[in-house]
Amino acid sequence: QVQLVESGGGLVQPGGSLRLSCAASGRIFDINTMGWYRQAPGKQRELVATITSGGSTNYADSVKGRFTISRDDAKNTVYLQMNSLKSEDTAVYYCIARIYPLGYWGQGTQVTVSS
């Protein structure tokens, strides 16, 4: 089992920045990949970014060049730095930790981009 606690969401104006955090506990040494997904109202949950235990990253085309995923293994925490935010980035953002084939989800944190 892995427990995930997200933080850092909120309301920001277009063009602004936010940093999301996801703190993991439990079977952290068995985690293969961690990442962020998001779900906007009326839409399916979609991949935002992932990072492997080796540090390889992957991003959705819609966030490339604006978002950066990183990890601090000493703190068992994964971050999502979001810059140049757009209204279409508004969604609930979920952290995921994968111990293949299982995936563990956080509770989600709301990000709202609006003037």
Side-chain angles (χ1 to χ4, degrees):
Q1 290 276 352
V2 175
Q3 295 77 43
L4 302 172
V5 178
E6 300 125 328
S7 61
L11 173 65
V12 64
Q13 292 186 342
S17 298
L18 280 176
R19 189 177 79 157
L20 306 182
S21 300
C22 174
S25 60
R27 293 177 57 192
I28 56 174
F29 296 107
D30 293 330
I31 295 174
N32 307 116
T33 301
M34 293 191 70
W36 293 91
Y37 281 69
R38 66 187 181 187
Q39 187 166 19
K43 295 188 177 181
Q44 290 188 332
R45 193 172 295 191
E46 64 176 4
L47 171 71
V48 177
T50 60
I51 185 165
T52 69
S53 56
S56 297
T57 58
N58 181 54
Y59 296 92
D61 287 343
S62 59
V63 306
K64 281 181 181 177
R66 300 188 298 123
F67 291 10
T68 302
I69 190 170
S70 62
R71 58 193 293 160
D72 184 337
D73 291 336
K75 296 182 178 180
N76 302 321
T77 299
V78 170
Y79 303 98
L80 185 68
Q81 178 67 43
M82 306 185 293
N83 299 328
S84 302
L85 282 160
K86 306 175 181 180
S87 58
E88 50 263 45
D89 295 318
T90 295
V92 178
Y93 284 69
Y94 296 92
C95 180
I96 183 171
R98 291 198 183 276
I99 302 177
Y100 292 121
L102 302 177
Y104 299 90
W105 293 92
Q107 80 285 357
T109 185
Q110 177 71 46
V111 172
T112 302
V113 184
S114 175
S115 55

